[in-house]
Amino acid sequence: MAITKQYLKSKPVCKVTFTVPAEEAKKVAVVGSFNEWNTKKAVQLKKLKNGNFKGTVDLEKDNSYEFRYLVDGKTYANDEQADSYAWNDYAAAENCILNL
């Protein structure tokens, strides 16, 4: 898994690219505090020929966001390249933290 951050000079925005290797998966999405954990507003990642899923989202910089990957609409996964992790009592699991 990989997270790439590209800060824009013209706007207070960071383009965050998520890359998830999941050859067996049919779909992978990113849900988090930036889309209110709403699976209908989730950022759908595009499946590449090499089996990875990739997608980019614009997020306001100088903020922290919690997120997780949602694989095939049922399994949540974390990214080992997250900036940190925070325990979530509701999910009884850790969420990834993205600091911009």
Side-chain angles (χ1 to χ4, degrees):
M1 295 184 201
I3 300 170
T4 307
K5 301 174 188 175
Q6 179 185 1
Y7 292 91
L8 302 183
K9 294 179 181 176
S10 59
K11 298 182 210 174
V13 168
C14 180
K15 286 186 168 296
V16 181
T17 301
F18 299 97
T19 305
V20 180
E23 288 185 35
E24 304 300 319
K26 290 184 172 60
K27 62 182 181 175
V28 176
V30 183
V31 293
S33 55
F34 50 84
N35 58 19
E36 300 157 356
W37 296 95
N38 186 332
T39 56
K40 292 182 175 128
K41 294 181 185 177
V43 178
Q44 299 296 322
L45 305 183
K46 181 180 178 184
K47 189 163 192 174
L48 305 177
K49 289 180 182 178
N50 65 5
N52 289 344
F53 285 80
K54 189 173 187 177
T56 302
V57 62
D58 291 351
L59 298 173
E60 190 176 314
K61 68 178 190 173
D62 300 323
N63 284 305
S64 291
Y65 301 92
E66 292 188 24
F67 75 95
R68 294 187 86 188
Y69 298 115
L70 181 58
V71 181
D72 288 335
K74 57 187 174 196
T75 306
Y76 285 94
N78 281 345
D79 194 315
E80 69 270 2
Q81 291 190 358
D83 295 323
S84 61
Y85 301 92
W87 181 258
N88 180 296
D89 286 332
Y90 179 77
E94 287 187 328
N95 290 338
C96 299
I97 303 290
L98 186 63
N99 296 316
L100 303 179

